[in-house]
């Protein structure tokens, strides 16, 4: 690779994008750029500091079923990056929170956050990405699901030329970017991507003054609409009692745009047997727009055939060999790695 080559750009800084970037960096690719519109990397593997507590308010744990992922997790354990969490099955979580693991994995990666890609255009020998920098507290979660006036655009527009792209953002966002750049996508690929819609998830964050009666984790025998409750204190990442309460996707979809206080009031009333009636030091609501995918793709990744490589990875890519058949942290990691390795092979053929 020559010094004046355009970089490989990865769109999306969840764990799939981070692992793709890390795989490329470890293979010696020194011109890799990871872009994410959030305040930090991690996607749904995120830990929030709130009212003196640390709260995992996206992914709560992950499992390891394939030998390849078990090998990675063992390495992470040896590094002290993850802990084992035994419930009905062996699960893992990031030491100090889910986002701490992502930060370790992203250490060798060049990345930019608060960067919202707005358009992807095909060029004769690469790609042109247009993006703006998001520098206010609120960043729109989606492109097409909010009115234009709600999307903050400070005018700090920029472009970056890429010799290849790996996209790990949700399928509706990727299609939006390609359509904005008038990129021709083969019909069967478009149909696969269009089939991947997502249900949202509402999540309540509750910081308590006193410990609650809940064990560290509960995801069974909860009344609707409760789906999962975790005590981040008993889990071992928070110094004070702090709960993550996740709500069923269907209820979340029906109530997504209600006022925060109305949603929280209803959730806490249903959760009272586990949360208790003691003083609450803080309560907040997180809206996850993309939570549960409606379909999976039975491949490790996909590619769009054009003048330059564009590979698509993420948790929805679940190969036929996967015994569980649904997307999760494991499939996100393995998909990002597979896409990066495929791109490395393409780079070798060009040289």
């Amino acid at each position: 690779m020559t010094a004046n080559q355009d970089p490989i750009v990865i769109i999306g800084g969840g764990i799939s994008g981070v692992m793709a970037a890390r795989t490329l960096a470890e293979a010696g690719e020194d011109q890799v750029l990871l872009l994410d519109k959030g305040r930090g990397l991690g996607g749904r593997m995120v830990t929030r500091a709130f009212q003196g507590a640390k709260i995992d308010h996206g992914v709560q744990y992950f499992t390891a079923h394939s030998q390849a992922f078990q090998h990675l997790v063992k390495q992470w354990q040896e590094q002290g990056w993850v802990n084992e969490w035994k419930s009905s099955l062996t699960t893992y979580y990031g030491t100090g929170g889910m986002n701490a693991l992502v930060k370790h994995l992203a250490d060798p990666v060049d990345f930019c956050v608060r960067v919202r890609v707005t358009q992807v255009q095909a060029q004769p020998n690469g790609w042109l990405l247009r993006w703006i920098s998001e520098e206010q507290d609120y960043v729109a979660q989606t492109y097409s699901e909010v009115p234009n006036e709600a999307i903050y655009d400070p005018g700090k527009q920029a472009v970056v030329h890429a010799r290849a792209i790996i996209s790990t953002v949700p399928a509706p966002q990727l299609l939006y970017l390609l359509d904005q750049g008038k990129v021709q996508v083969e019909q069967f690929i478009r149909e696969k991507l269009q089939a991947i819609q997502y249900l949202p998830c509402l999540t309540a964050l509750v910081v308590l003054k006193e410990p609650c009666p809940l064990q560290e984790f509960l995801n069974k025998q909860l009344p609707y609409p409760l789906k999962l409750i975790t005590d981040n204190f008993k889990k071992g990442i928070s110094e004070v009692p702090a709960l993550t309460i996740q709500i069923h996707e269907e209820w979340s979809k029906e109530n997504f745009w209600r006022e925060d206080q109305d949603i929280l009031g209803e959730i806490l009333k249903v959760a009272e047997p586990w949360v208790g009636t003691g003083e609450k030091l803080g309560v907040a609501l997180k809206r996850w727009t993309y939570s549960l995918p409606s379909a999976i793709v039975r491949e490790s990744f996909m590619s769009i055939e054009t003048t330059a490589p564009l590979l698509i990875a993420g948790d929805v890519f679940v190969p036929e060999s996967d015994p569980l058949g649904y997307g999760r942290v494991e499939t996100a990691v393995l998909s990002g790695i597979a896409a990066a390795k495929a791109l490395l092979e393409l780079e070798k053929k060009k040289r």
Side-chain angles (χ1 to χ4, degrees):
M1 183 173 61
T2 58
N4 61 355
Q5 271 192 307
D6 291 331
I8 297 169
V9 173
I10 298 172
I11 309 173
I15 195 166
S16 190
V18 168
M19 290 305 298
R22 183 181 178 91
T23 301
L24 293 170
E26 289 178 340
E29 289 289 346
D30 57 1
Q31 294 186 41
V32 179
L33 178 61
L34 176 61
L35 304 178
D36 192 87
K37 64 183 177 63
R39 296 181 182 182
L41 301 179
R44 282 170 285 171
M45 294 186 67
V46 63
T47 307
R48 178 176 172 181
F50 178 57
Q51 296 294 324
K54 288 178 71 174
I55 304 176
D56 282 337
H57 66 284
V59 175
Q60 298 298 299
Y61 63 89
F62 58 90
T63 56
H65 293 270
S66 67
Q67 287 187 350
F69 193 53
Q70 287 171 1
H71 178 69
L72 277 176
V73 172
K74 184 178 179 181
Q75 291 181 335
W76 299 345
Q77 282 183 291
E78 292 170 352
Q79 296 278 1
W81 296 352
V82 299
N83 289 327
E84 196 170 302
W85 187 14
K86 290 185 178 179
S87 51
S88 58
L89 70 165
T90 300
T91 59
Y92 305 89
Y93 65 94
T95 305
M98 282 296 193
N99 196 247
L101 170 61
V102 176
K103 289 179 180 178
H104 287 303
L105 295 172
D107 188 53
V109 175
D110 288 330
F111 63 88
C112 294
V113 294
R114 290 196 175 189
V115 165
R116 181 164 63 87
V117 179
T118 59
Q119 188 181 105
V120 171
Q121 292 179 326
Q123 302 287 290
N125 294 299
W127 297 95
L128 177 71
L129 293 87
R130 300 185 185 276
W131 54 272
I132 60 174
S133 174
E134 303 275 11
E135 293 186 356
Q136 70 172 24
D137 289 341
Y138 174 73
V139 178
Q141 289 286 329
T142 65
Y143 301 100
S144 57
E145 296 172 8
V146 294
N148 288 335
E149 61 269 18
I151 298 178
Y152 176 68
D153 183 349
K156 294 185 178 180
Q157 299 186 17
V159 298
V160 59
H161 294 268
R163 71 181 193 270
I165 293 174
I166 296 177
S167 172
T168 65
V169 300
Q173 289 186 337
L174 175 60
L175 283 171
Y176 174 90
L177 298 179
L178 296 173
D179 290 343
Q180 289 295 106
K182 296 180 170 54
V183 176
Q184 297 298 313
V185 179
E186 291 181 88
Q187 187 60 30
F188 79 97
I189 292 179
R190 178 176 289 275
E191 288 174 358
K192 278 188 177 182
L193 294 174
Q194 287 174 333
I196 306 171
Q197 300 298 314
Y198 294 78
L199 287 170
C201 179
L202 294 168
T203 299
L205 317 181
V206 185
V207 181
L208 303 173
K209 186 174 183 180
E210 301 292 339
C212 71
L214 174 76
Q215 296 300 316
E216 72 267 22
F217 180 76
L218 185 63
N219 67 345
K220 296 179 180 179
Q221 299 179 333
L222 287 169
Y224 188 82
L226 305 183
K227 182 177 182 179
L228 174 153
I229 309 178
T230 302
D231 187 333
N232 294 271
F233 172 71
K234 292 174 182 174
K235 182 179 178 180
I237 71 165
S238 178
E239 294 184 358
V240 299
L243 306 181
T244 303
I245 306 175
Q246 293 183 343
I247 308 305
H248 272 281
E249 288 82 4
E250 289 293 346
W251 195 92
S252 296
K253 181 180 180 180
E254 293 171 1
N255 296 273
F256 199 74
W257 295 114
R258 288 173 58 192
E259 294 290 333
D260 286 15
Q261 60 184 14
D262 294 337
I263 294 173
L264 289 168
E266 192 165 339
I267 290 172
L268 291 176
K269 184 177 180 179
V270 178
E272 190 173 287
W274 297 274
V275 176
T277 57
E279 182 179 349
K280 297 169 181 63
L281 301 180
V283 179
L285 183 72
K286 167 65 180 178
R287 290 176 168 86
W288 291 105
T289 306
Y290 297 108
S291 178
L292 183 69
S294 61
I296 59 172
V297 179
R298 281 304 209 174
E299 304 171 51
S300 296
F301 63 92
M302 288 171 55
S303 62
I304 292 178
E305 299 297 330
T306 182
T307 55
L310 193 162
L311 283 69
I312 311 166
D315 62 348
V316 299
F317 291 93
V318 184
E320 292 286 354
S321 59
D322 185 275
L324 301 186
Y326 61 85
R328 55 197 188 277
V329 171
E330 180 172 3
T331 57
V333 167
L334 297 179
S335 176
I337 293 172
K341 287 182 175 179
L343 184 54
L344 289 168
E345 288 298 315
L346 291 174
E347 291 278 306
K348 280 183 184 178
K349 292 177 181 179
K350 285 166 49 179
R351 294 171 190 165

